[in-house]
Amino acid sequence: MGKRTPLYDEHLKLNATMVDFHGWDMPMQYGKILDEHMAVREKAGIFDVSHMGDIIITGKDSEKFLNFMFPTDVSALKEGTAAYTAFLNDDGNIIDDTILYRISVERYFIVPNAATTDTVFEWMKKHSENFNVHLENVSDSIACIALQGKMSLDILEEMSIKYPGEFKFYEVKSSDYAMNKITGNHGMIVSGTGYTGEKGVEFLIPSENAPALWQKLIESLRKIGGLPCGLGSRDTLRMEKGMLLSGTDFSSDRNPKECSISFILTNKGKFIGKEGLESSKSREIFRGIKMDGKIIPRAGSTVFSGSRIIGKVTSGTLSPVLGRAIALAFIDRDYSKAGTEVEVLVRDRKINGEVSRPRIVP
Amino acid sequence: MSKIPQELKYTKSHEWIRVEGETVTVGITDYAQSQLTDIVFIDLPKKGTKKKAGEVLLTIESVKSAEDVFSPLDGEVTEVNSALEDKPELVNKDPYANWMVKLQKKGGFGETMTPEEYKKFIGE
């Protein structure tokens, strides 16, 4: 038996197809993946992402410590705002990407990926010795529900919850909630973040309060034709928008420049991976490929320009919005311009495609 | 619980087979379609293609993965279900009504199972 989120029973009630995901029993889909995908693109959907980690960083040196841990300028982050960033190793390659939240100058939290939470926690611990900081992994006490899609805003309004704005968050404090270990208050965090490219929020809520919120959201979704969504559509949604998947698109072998996330490199000071990053060549870059037709390139498929090998696919699926196959790949910079014609070898056939920005579906 | 019709034969790679004289119809089982998740494309072979038992007959693309369907016998493709070109999701709806390929028998079968054996094989 795998690890279960506090919403496990809710998934069974909804007849989800459960699968093992890095040791967690998670819903792959409740109905059809394509329907769940389109529900999020056109209306709204909810996801149980409680398997993701929650690590809090507190103490006097928190800001200084995080400025050393991340290539992102943490001092520029205002209270109540969050930033997408990444842990780099000494070579400047990405160990994991994460969202960093600033609660106050001495209190932060991060949401690393499920499979890398322990690695990231140990990595931070190892580098925290010379700083006055305290790290705590509170993952087991926190559930996370993502509400995504444009009609999320209507659902929030119905619940009298204010939309925090993109990459902003606040806490709904109430004695109705158990103690939220992230903030130390009784309440839930409402965060303007997600992994679908749509407007929406993520609720970080004490585990014991999660089923009630989930049920309430299911009820609201029913009224508007929204759906609960599993990991299947979570993956197809992020692929259309060119969002990286840790462990799939990179695993400590690619740096932020190669991953097309140079925007996170705002830290002018000294941080882990800085030298590695400066000396790296980054000959390839993360790109999308729109394929002709529905034959899907998969991780490992080779990308060609004529007879020349120019890259490798890391993710692929059928784009429900475009109705054609799409892929994410690392491609030689000389061929990375949007519109460049390429071929991808799928099984024994070379299929034509066109390079695009990672955000394949605008 | 997966549907396993009594009148068909099954393979370890989750194909179902209907034998009518020299004509053999091939599809995938209910268990297989549920494991595949949403089917989005079926790469069907051309009429006249000759296959040996165990060779890749066609490939099914789902949102999550691509899976091969193997020829259960030595045969020649005489018909393909072209309705699946536009509507591959029909296989998710009814994998037994929506066959994929008809083959003319040219030689022997590979290993097949009875419905009872297949049921045990998939652990149901």
Side-chain angles (χ1 to χ4, degrees):
Chain A
M1 195 181 83
K3 285 189 269 184
R4 293 174 174 183
T5 77
L7 298 170
Y8 180 81
D9 290 337
E10 303 303 317
H11 304 320
L12 297 192
K13 271 192 237 166
L14 294 164
N15 286 321
T17 305
M18 302 299 287
V19 294
D20 172 70
F21 183 75
H22 297 293
W24 291 82
D25 283 342
M26 296 299 289
M28 172 60 76
Q29 70 213 94
Y30 301 86
K32 289 185 62 183
I33 293 174
L34 298 175
D35 292 344
E36 292 168 20
H37 182 108
M38 292 315 291
V40 172
R41 286 280 179 258
E42 290 168 353
K43 293 170 179 169
I46 54 170
F47 302 80
D48 175 14
V49 284
S50 306
H51 60 308
M52 293 190 66
D54 308 276
I55 295 171
I56 54 175
I57 304 101
T58 53
K60 271 201 171 55
D61 289 344
S62 295
E63 185 176 311
K64 213 163 85 182
F65 170 64
L66 294 171
N67 270 325
F68 177 61
M69 291 305 300
F70 291 121
T72 305
D73 181 7
V74 176
S75 305
L77 202 60
K78 294 194 183 83
E79 285 184 10
T81 63
Y84 174 70
T85 185
F87 288 98
L88 307 185
N89 61 20
D90 292 327
D91 298 331
N93 290 330
I94 305 173
I95 299 168
D96 194 22
D97 55 352
T98 189
I99 307 265
L100 169 69
Y101 297 78
R102 181 174 182 137
I103 297 171
S104 72
V105 67
E106 291 186 11
R107 196 178 188 98
Y108 298 78
F109 75 99
I110 59 163
V111 179
N113 287 289
T116 42
T117 300
D118 292 340
T119 310
V120 157
F121 188 74
E122 289 311 316
W123 178 254
M124 290 176 91
K125 195 106 198 151
K126 186 176 136 190
H127 291 94
S128 68
E129 278 164 19
N130 300 321
F131 296 91
N132 184 357
V133 289
H134 178 70
L135 306 173
E136 196 182 347
N137 183 351
V138 298
S139 306
D140 290 343
S141 73
I142 300 290
C144 184
I145 300 172
L147 167 65
Q148 303 278 295
K150 43 175 139 352
M151 289 179 84
S152 301
L153 300 185
D154 303 316
I155 292 174
L156 287 177
E157 201 180 307
E158 184 198 308
M159 293 167 75
S160 307
I161 292 173
K162 199 179 90 221
Y163 174 63
E166 251 175 87
F167 280 92
K168 292 183 178 156
F169 69 98
Y170 68 94
E171 188 176 22
V172 176
K173 286 186 210 171
S174 160
S175 55
D176 294 346
Y177 295 102
M179 161 81 95
N180 189 319
K181 285 198 180 166
I182 294 174
T183 58
N185 302 314
H186 289 262
M188 81 171 163
I189 294 166
V190 185
S191 161
T193 47
Y195 194 47
T196 61
E198 298 296 330
K199 262 225 161 91
V201 294
E202 291 175 304
F203 301 101
L204 293 128
I205 184 168
S207 295
E208 48 268 66
N209 302 116
L213 175 64
W214 177 269
Q215 288 159 11
K216 196 168 175 182
L217 289 166
I218 289 285
E219 215 171 283
S220 304
L221 286 172
R222 244 175 223 144
K223 286 184 225 156
I224 59 158
L227 290 173
C229 303
L231 292 181
S233 55
R234 185 169 159 81
D235 198 33
T236 56
L237 285 158
R238 70 98 194 165
M239 273 191 241
E240 282 189 340
K241 298 293 180 180
M243 293 166 143
L244 295 156
L245 176 58
S246 179
T248 296
D249 296 314
F250 63 85
S251 23
S252 298
D253 58 345
R254 298 283 184 182
N255 67 44
K257 291 188 240 169
E258 290 171 297
C259 287
S260 292
I261 53 166
S262 297
F263 65 87
I264 72 167
L265 304 175
T266 53
N267 191 342
K268 300 280 181 278
K270 189 174 154 42
F271 58 87
I272 301 171
K274 186 184 173 100
E275 281 150 27
L277 202 52
E278 278 164 1
S279 63
S280 76
K281 296 220 168 51
S282 311
R283 240 180 32 77
E284 292 184 321
I285 189 156
F286 192 58
R287 283 290 178 261
I289 304 175
K290 278 187 247 181
M291 303 301 298
D292 289 356
K294 293 188 171 182
I295 295 178
I296 304 171
R298 307 281 176 179
S301 298
T302 307
V303 185
F304 289 86
S305 173
S307 59
R308 193 193 169 96
I309 293 175
I310 57 156
K312 234 179 188 56
V313 169
T314 52
S315 296
T317 192
L318 182 100
S319 159
V321 168
L322 301 177
R324 58 205 265 206
I326 55 168
L328 296 171
F330 285 90
I331 297 177
D332 188 319
R333 280 180 188 271
D334 293 345
Y335 299 87
S336 64
K337 216 176 146 230
T340 305
E341 284 174 23
V342 295
E343 289 175 299
V344 184
L345 184 65
V346 185
R347 295 186 282 282
D348 54 353
R349 254 178 291 174
K350 278 187 177 176
I351 317 276
N352 292 324
E354 184 192 308
V355 175
S356 87
R357 301 284 302 165
R359 197 181 177 92
I360 300 166
V361 173
Chain B
M1 209 56 148
S2 304
K3 288 186 200 109
I4 305 173
Q6 274 303 315
E7 68 277 18
L8 304 174
K9 284 183 178 167
Y10 298 88
T11 68
K12 282 190 173 165
S13 42
H14 308 287
E15 291 89 16
W16 59 257
I17 310 160
R18 176 182 287 123
V19 184
E20 291 157 311
E22 294 295 292
T23 303
V24 177
T25 309
V26 181
I28 63 162
T29 66
D30 188 32
Y31 176 81
Q33 74 74 23
S34 71
Q35 293 290 310
L36 271 167
T37 72
D38 298 20
I39 295 169
V40 292
F41 182 74
I42 302 176
D43 208 353
L44 292 162
K46 289 194 174 63
K47 265 189 216 175
T49 307
K50 292 193 177 92
K51 293 288 175 185
K52 294 258 180 237
E55 284 183 347
V56 175
L57 186 57
L58 58 97
T59 305
I60 300 176
E61 299 263 17
S62 78
V63 172
K64 299 300 290 178
S65 62
E67 299 295 337
D68 293 328
V69 169
F70 300 94
S71 184
L73 78 164
D74 297 355
E76 181 178 331
V77 176
T78 53
E79 226 179 308
V80 296
N81 185 357
S82 51
L84 300 180
E85 282 166 12
D86 291 331
K87 290 191 169 298
E89 66 273 18
L90 289 172
V91 175
N92 284 124
K93 280 195 189 122
D94 188 344
Y96 297 107
N98 294 289
W99 56 277
M100 292 175 185
V101 167
K102 289 190 182 181
L103 296 150
Q104 166 135 49
K105 193 168 179 289
K106 296 282 183 196
F109 280 89
E111 199 187 330
T112 62
M113 285 181 275
T114 64
E116 292 73 28
E117 287 165 339
Y118 183 66
K119 192 169 172 178
K120 207 173 281 171
F121 178 69
I122 60 173
E124 288 187 357

